[in-house]
Amino acid sequence: MNRIARALYRTAASTRQNLGLSVQSVRSMATETVNGIPVEVVNPEGAKRVIVTKNLPGDRWKQILASAGCRVEISQSPETILDNATIVKFIGNSCDGVIGQLTEDWGSELFEALKKAGGRAFSNYAVGYNNVVVPEATARGIPVGNTPGVLTETTAELAAALTFAAARRVVEGDSFMRAEKYKGWLPTLFVGNLLQGKTVGIIGAGRIGTAYARMMVEGHKMNLVYYDPFENKFLEEYVKDYSKLVQSKGGDEITVTRCGTVEEVLKVSDVVSLHCNLDENTKHLINEEKLNMMKSNAVLVNAARGPVIDEVALVAHLKKNPEFRVGLDVFEDEPLMKPGLKECENAVIVPHIASATQWTRSGMATLAASNVAAILQDYPVWNKPDVLGFVDGPFESIPKAAPSIVNAKELNLKMS
């Protein structure tokens, strides 16, 4: 389904009229300063005020909110991350809904400000919501939305890219060339690790972990070990069936093993990719002790959440073990890095871009807007895992529901 959806997105420009989307209808109709904050305004005459703390890609999300009768104010602040004081000022005395960012601290202060302003809906522009204190929203009767279902392959692809960039020393080679140090081919120049047929370990075998595992198993015939509190029968059966196909063509058996502990995964894997949630149990899951359990030439990849790794311990480990490599999309004190990390040539570091494809980022905006618009129109909550009907297809066929509300049960919201 996701491959089909991506194909639909690529053809969207030529079929915009058929989808019921008018570029003119979603373009900003005004630029104003609201509560001291520069904003782009969509549908200025809308009766419901929705603020968006960052500009988001795509047009469909704007049309969704405008069609719901919302005046949409999109922050144009030059600040990369808005602090709480600025967001409170932006909310002001009257605000019906907010689309916020994972870089913001949505706890008692912001939800109290939103409640006092008459707010009824909030959506995080992310699938994760560790930046949101959901009970604080629930206590004030505010539904909290998120954006699952459109990040799976996109994030898994970035994790795979980090894996090979680290294993094959791509960034080191790129810097070497740009510095004009290359004088000719050498047998020992930037020798890295071959991953074909080796062992890949997954910590967290949810949707993204499963997609990454399939990429590594299918593309590179890697044996799979994984740790997850829950057995992933689909993934295990998939690998076993794929192994039978490979063996029928003369290839070697590909194995899959669910490990009882994280430690078991770390000890046997040539690559370890983290795909777990961040909570009190997973903060610094990968610490000095765990790093020392890994193979000296292993590759560690994190496209989940930065604090899952003790970054100070990681820097020390990278310095002591030059053959050990890491690929990071997220950081413990994001946007900052711990001292010494940027000097480690055996680290590939990118600025939290795992979801950064046009289809995914636009889809996230659409889902966030759909959450807010649906709540403000008293629509029920979507009760199905497939959310592509919100993201693709004719505009008039978008389900009349909120795609994902994480506290729907606690608030006794009606389900579709």
Side-chain angles (χ1 to χ4, degrees):
M1 287 293 294
N2 283 347
R3 293 188 180 92
I4 295 172
R6 284 194 291 273
L8 283 171
Y9 181 82
R10 287 193 294 269
T11 61
S14 63
T15 61
R16 190 177 296 274
Q17 288 184 342
N18 291 333
L19 296 180
L21 295 174
S22 166
V23 174
Q24 290 292 337
S25 68
V26 295
R27 280 182 177 164
S28 171
M29 296 180 65
T31 300
E32 302 178 12
T33 298
V34 176
N35 299 333
I37 299 165
V39 298
E40 178 185 85
V41 181
V42 174
N43 194 31
E45 304 305 318
K48 307 181 189 83
R49 180 173 179 251
V50 173
I51 68 169
V52 185
T53 59
K54 276 291 166 195
N55 199 18
L56 307 177
D59 289 335
R60 190 175 175 101
W61 70 274
K62 298 176 185 178
Q63 179 74 3
I64 287 169
L65 288 168
S67 296
C70 298
R71 170 190 166 96
V72 186
E73 298 175 6
I74 307 164
S75 171
Q76 303 298 304
S77 170
E79 297 296 325
T80 301
I81 299 173
L82 299 186
D83 60 24
N84 280 16
T86 302
I87 296 173
V88 169
K89 182 189 288 187
F90 194 9
I91 290 172
N93 297 322
S94 179
C95 180
D96 296 281
V98 178
I99 297 177
Q101 310 298 313
L102 58 81
T103 52
E104 298 159 1
D105 180 17
W106 280 88
S108 59
E109 180 183 11
L110 293 185
F111 283 121
E112 182 64 18
L114 181 57
K115 181 66 176 178
K116 286 182 177 178
R120 295 177 51 206
F122 169 82
S123 188
N124 215 31
Y125 178 69
V127 64
Y129 47 92
N130 54 285
N131 65 305
V132 180
V133 185
V134 178
E136 295 288 352
T138 303
R140 293 165 175 82
I142 299 174
V144 173
N146 68 334
T147 64
V150 293
L151 295 94
T152 302
E153 283 80 9
T154 299
T155 303
E157 281 185 359
L158 194 279
L162 288 172
T163 300
F164 288 101
R168 296 304 302 272
R169 306 178 66 178
V170 172
V171 175
E172 291 177 77
D174 180 88
S175 298
F176 187 80
M177 289 296 296
R178 293 178 190 277
E180 299 183 351
K181 294 180 180 179
Y182 183 52
K183 305 303 179 184
W185 183 87
L186 289 172
T188 56
L189 188 62
F190 295 115
V191 175
N193 298 342
L194 176 69
L195 300 184
Q196 193 83 5
K198 299 293 182 62
T199 298
V200 59
I202 308 297
I203 308 297
R207 285 178 293 189
I208 296 172
T210 295
Y212 173 85
R214 288 178 56 181
M215 291 176 188
M216 305 307 287
V217 168
E218 293 174 18
H220 306 282
K221 312 301 181 286
M222 298 188 78
N223 296 307
L224 173 66
V225 296
Y226 77 95
Y227 172 78
D228 194 283
F230 303 97
E231 181 182 17
N232 190 327
K233 292 184 178 179
F234 167 81
L235 179 59
E236 292 184 17
E237 292 174 2
Y238 188 93
V239 174
K240 290 174 182 177
D241 288 344
Y242 184 70
S243 178
K244 291 177 184 178
L245 173 63
V246 171
Q247 288 177 283
S248 74
K249 302 299 182 181
D252 294 332
E253 179 186 11
I254 300 171
T255 62
V256 55
T257 304
R258 181 188 177 205
C259 296
T261 65
V262 170
E263 289 82 355
E264 290 178 59
V265 174
L266 299 178
K267 290 175 182 178
V268 302
S269 299
D270 299 287
V271 174
V272 174
S273 190
L274 306 175
H275 300 283
C276 52
N277 295 326
L278 175 63
D279 57 31
E280 60 183 12
N281 297 313
T282 59
K283 183 177 181 179
H284 285 188
L285 177 68
I286 306 300
N287 54 21
E288 180 182 4
E289 179 185 6
K290 301 281 180 48
L291 288 166
N292 287 329
M293 293 179 184
M294 298 179 69
K295 296 181 179 181
S296 62
N297 66 341
V299 175
L300 175 64
V301 175
N302 188 12
R305 287 291 183 260
V308 173
I309 297 177
D310 180 345
E311 207 167 292
V312 170
L314 176 63
V315 171
H317 193 78
L318 288 167
K319 290 180 177 179
K320 292 178 184 177
N321 300 274
E323 298 302 313
F324 186 91
R325 298 187 174 90
V326 67
L328 300 175
D329 179 56
V330 289
F331 306 90
E332 186 171 356
D333 297 326
E334 198 167 314
L336 303 176
M337 294 182 287
K338 293 296 188 183
L341 181 58
K342 68 179 182 180
E343 285 79 31
C344 293
E345 293 185 349
N346 47 344
V348 177
I349 48 179
V350 296
H352 205 149
I353 57 172
S355 64
T357 65
Q358 184 66 32
W359 184 83
T360 292
R361 291 281 173 90
S362 297
M364 291 166 63
T366 295
L367 293 174
S370 296
N371 283 328
V372 171
I375 294 299
L376 295 182
Q377 295 176 97
D378 297 317
Y379 290 163
V381 177
W382 191 245
N383 197 26
K384 303 175 183 68
D386 186 358
V387 296
L388 293 182
F390 294 89
V391 177
D392 289 294
F395 185 83
E396 61 272 15
S397 298
I398 293 175
K400 295 184 182 301
S404 181
I405 301 296
V406 301
N407 57 347
K409 183 177 178 181
E410 290 78 3
L411 292 172
N412 296 314
L413 299 182
K414 181 181 178 181
M415 308 301 287
S416 64

